[in-house]
Amino acid sequence: MKKKLFALLMAVVMVLSLASCGKKADAPAATPADPGTSTTEPAAEPTTDLPLGYDPTTGAEAYGPYWDEWSDMTDEELYEMALKEDTAINVYATSSKMLKAEEPFEEMYPGLDLVVSDLDTDEVLSKAQIENETGNVTADVLQTKDVNGSVFYEYYYQGVIEPFYPRDICSHLDESYLTYSYPLYASQAFWYYNTEAFPDGQPVNNWWQIIEKDENGNQKYRLFTKEIGQESSYMSLFASFINNADQMEKAYEDCYGEKLEYTYDPSSFNFEVPANNAGVEYLWRFSQAKMTFIGDGDELVLAVHNSTKDDPALCLASAGKIENQEESGYNIDWCVNMAPYTGLLNVESMFAVKGCNSPAGARLFIRYITGGTDGQSGGLKPFTKVGNWPLRDDFEDKKNPKKLNELGAIANNLDDIYAIYPDVQDMWTYWLNQSPNK
C-alpha cells in the first residue's frame, strides 16, 4: 500500500538526513522510574517496536488506546515528579485559546511554569521534528490535529512524539476516539446557507446538489470555499469520498433516481486512478465548478449572508463561523445530515514529546487541559465554544445548538485517507488547472 511505501520512504529520508548532517536521532522517552531523561546523549536510530504507528519492516500497525506506566498515575504523583524535573512545561499549540491555560494551570500547580507557543499546524510539527533531529528538545507537549494520517504514520515512527492515554479519563471517552491519538475536542466543517433566502430550511441535503445545474446548464449555487488543495482537512474529506465510493454512488442514485454517469478520464495520470469511482467523479465535477476561493472564514460566511434567493450562495467553512449569527447578525446556518454524510469529524489531540525535559509535567498538563479526573479541572473551558464538541461523557456541552450525533458527520479513517492522500492532491491540482472557471 502507498501509505506503507511512503512511511518507509519517510523513515529512510529521516535516517539519511541524520547521518549526512551528523545529527542525533531520538533518545528513549523518559519513564516514571527515570523522570527528566533528556536527549543530550547520542541515541539509537528509530526503532520498529513503537507502541503506535506503522512498522515498515513487518507491516504491522498499532493503534490506541495504549497503556503504559504513565497511564495510571494520579495528578498528585505527576505533580510531585514534575517539581523534580525541568519545571518549565513548553506547549506548542495550534489554538490561541491554549494561552488562556497558563495562569490557571500555574495557580493550580505552584512551582510549575507553563509556556505556550501559539503556532500554525505546520510549525508545531516542523519545530518539534527539527528539535528531535538536532537533539535539542524544547517542546514537552504538542496540540494539533491529524486529518490525513501523517502525524500517526510518520511522527510516531520517527520518534518525535509518543502516546499518552490516562486510563481514568479515557474511561469517559468512546474508544473509537482513541484509535490514533488522545483527543482534546472534535470539530468539523459545514456548508452554510442563507436562512433569509431559504426560510424553510437548508436548500441542499446531498453533496451532489451542491454542484447541481439548472435546466439551462447553469450552476444553481455560487460556491465559496478555501482552496481545497491547500486545506488538508478538506482534501481529506474529498479523499474519503473516493474511499466511500459506494456511498457516493448511492447518494447520487437516491437523489436523482438514475445511475451515475462517469465522465472523468482515469488515464490522465501516471498513477492508478480507479475507474467508475463515484468519489473520483465528484472530485472531477467539483474541480470544474465555478467557485470563489477566500482564505478568511468570516468573509466566506459573509458572502452567503449577502446572497439572495434569486442569486443563492453556499460556502464551506468551519463550524465555529456560525457565531457570526449573533455577533454580526448574519443570516446563516449549517447544512446538516447531508448524504452520504455531512463531513469528517476532525479531532484536536494532545501529544507528549519524546525525549522532552518535563515528561511528568507534560502528562500532568495533558490531564489538566482535557478536564482532569472528573472533568472539572477547568482546562476544557477555553475550548468550550460553538463549533467545538467536547468528547467526554461526563462534561456537558452548553454551547452548541446541536449535539455531535445530530450532525451526520463520520469518523475520520486515517488509514484509508493516508493511503491515497498524495494521489488525491495531484488529481485535484491537475483538474483544477484544467477548469474553465479557474
Side-chain angles (χ1 to χ4, degrees):
M1 294 177 66
K2 171 164 283 197
K3 70 183 177 187
K4 299 179 179 178
L5 293 175
F6 186 55
L8 179 56
L9 176 60
M10 290 297 297
V12 171
V13 170
M14 177 73 171
V15 173
L16 290 178
S17 67
L18 296 179
S20 62
C21 299
K23 297 174 181 176
K24 291 171 283 189
D26 61 300
T31 65
D34 183 23
T37 299
S38 69
T39 56
T40 56
E41 295 297 325
E45 293 178 354
T47 60
T48 57
D49 57 345
L50 297 179
L52 290 186
Y54 168 65
D55 182 351
T57 62
T58 65
E61 293 168 307
Y63 304 97
Y66 169 77
W67 313 117
D68 60 10
E69 298 91 338
W70 297 103
S71 297
D72 294 309
M73 285 200 160
T74 65
D75 294 330
E76 292 73 22
E77 290 172 322
L78 290 170
Y79 179 38
E80 182 180 350
M81 293 174 63
L83 291 172
K84 297 176 182 177
E85 57 191 24
D86 189 337
T87 55
I89 304 169
N90 289 280
V91 180
Y92 292 174
T94 59
S95 172
S96 60
K97 296 185 183 300
M98 192 67 73
L99 294 165
K100 296 181 179 181
E102 289 184 341
E103 186 174 336
F105 178 79
E106 291 171 357
E107 288 179 356
M108 183 173 290
Y109 297 105
L112 299 182
D113 179 25
L114 187 67
V115 182
V116 177
S117 299
D118 179 18
L119 306 169
D120 292 335
T121 299
D122 290 342
E123 287 182 295
V124 165
L125 297 170
S126 63
K127 280 176 65 68
Q129 183 170 13
I130 291 171
E131 292 176 8
N132 177 271
E133 291 177 12
T134 61
N136 299 312
V137 178
T138 298
D140 300 294
V141 177
L142 304 185
Q143 177 254 314
T144 189
K145 61 185 175 184
D146 187 5
V147 296
N148 60 11
S150 61
V151 176
F152 182 79
Y153 280 107
E154 295 164 29
Y155 286 82
Y156 278 128
Y157 176 75
Q158 292 181 13
V160 177
I161 57 175
E162 57 187 357
F164 171 53
Y165 288 91
R167 198 189 303 266
D168 57 340
I169 300 177
C170 288
S171 68
H172 293 287
L173 296 164
D174 189 299
E175 193 164 304
S176 64
Y177 296 129
L178 306 175
T179 304
Y180 303 105
S181 61
Y182 175 64
L184 177 60
Y185 63 87
S187 63
Q188 66 177 97
F190 291 98
W191 284 100
Y192 286 76
Y193 72 98
N194 187 303
T195 54
E196 189 173 73
F198 299 98
D200 295 330
Q202 62 192 65
V204 294
N205 297 282
N206 190 303
W207 273 84
W208 293 99
Q209 293 175 317
I210 293 167
I211 54 175
E212 199 171 81
K213 296 182 179 180
D214 61 23
E215 62 276 5
N216 298 317
N218 298 317
Q219 203 167 294
K220 279 190 175 182
Y221 305 99
R222 287 188 295 130
L223 302 181
F224 297 86
T225 179
K226 294 182 178 180
E227 211 282 77
I228 302 296
Q230 297 175 11
E231 296 291 319
S232 56
S233 61
Y234 293 170
M235 197 81 270
S236 295
L237 174 58
F238 280 75
S240 78
F241 290 154
I242 296 173
N243 288 326
N244 297 314
D246 56 338
Q247 296 183 46
M248 288 296 290
E249 188 174 56
K250 184 177 186 302
Y252 182 92
E253 293 176 1
D254 289 346
C255 186
Y256 301 108
E258 60 185 27
K259 293 288 185 179
L260 173 63
E261 179 184 359
Y262 292 95
T263 59
Y264 69 94
D265 179 8
S267 66
S268 303
F269 304 92
N270 60 1
F271 52 83
E272 184 178 354
V273 174
N276 296 337
N277 180 292
V280 176
E281 179 67 25
Y282 191 87
L283 182 70
W284 156 247
R285 294 191 188 188
F286 192 90
S287 71
Q288 304 305 294
K290 185 176 182 180
M291 66 189 78
T292 301
F293 296 139
I294 301 176
D296 183 83
D298 292 318
E299 292 183 17
L300 285 169
V301 293
L302 176 60
V304 170
H305 169 71
N306 289 332
S307 66
T308 65
K309 177 75 171 180
D310 295 328
D311 187 22
L314 303 170
C315 81
L316 182 62
S318 62
K321 297 306 172 183
I322 197 70
E323 288 186 319
N324 282 287
Q325 277 182 329
E326 295 185 5
E327 293 179 358
S328 304
Y330 289 2
N331 300 313
I332 56 173
D333 203 356
W334 299 326
C335 293
V336 300
N337 292 312
M338 299 281 288
Y341 45 86
T342 305
L344 295 180
L345 197 61
N346 295 314
V347 177
E348 291 285 345
S349 298
M350 305 300 301
F351 302 93
V353 176
K354 191 169 185 180
C356 67
N357 297 314
S358 306
R363 287 161 174 81
L364 178 64
F365 175 71
I366 290 174
R367 288 181 57 87
Y368 165 83
I369 204 65
T370 55
T373 301
D374 57 2
Q376 303 303 312
S377 70
L380 283 169
K381 185 177 179 180
F383 305 99
T384 305
K385 60 183 287 291
V386 176
N388 293 349
W389 282 267
L391 298 174
R392 294 181 60 143
D393 63 13
D394 60 345
F395 188 86
E396 185 178 3
D397 179 11
K398 298 180 180 180
K399 297 289 185 178
N400 285 292
K402 293 182 181 295
K403 295 181 179 179
L404 200 57
N405 61 4
E406 298 174 339
L407 304 172
I410 65 168
N412 191 336
N413 188 326
L414 297 182
D415 278 328
D416 292 344
I417 289 175
Y418 186 76
I420 68 169
Y421 186 86
D423 287 351
V424 178
Q425 278 189 309
D426 289 345
M427 292 159 61
W428 168 261
T429 302
Y430 177 75
W431 280 334
L432 183 65
N433 288 335
Q434 289 185 328
S435 174
N437 299 308
K438 182 182 177 185

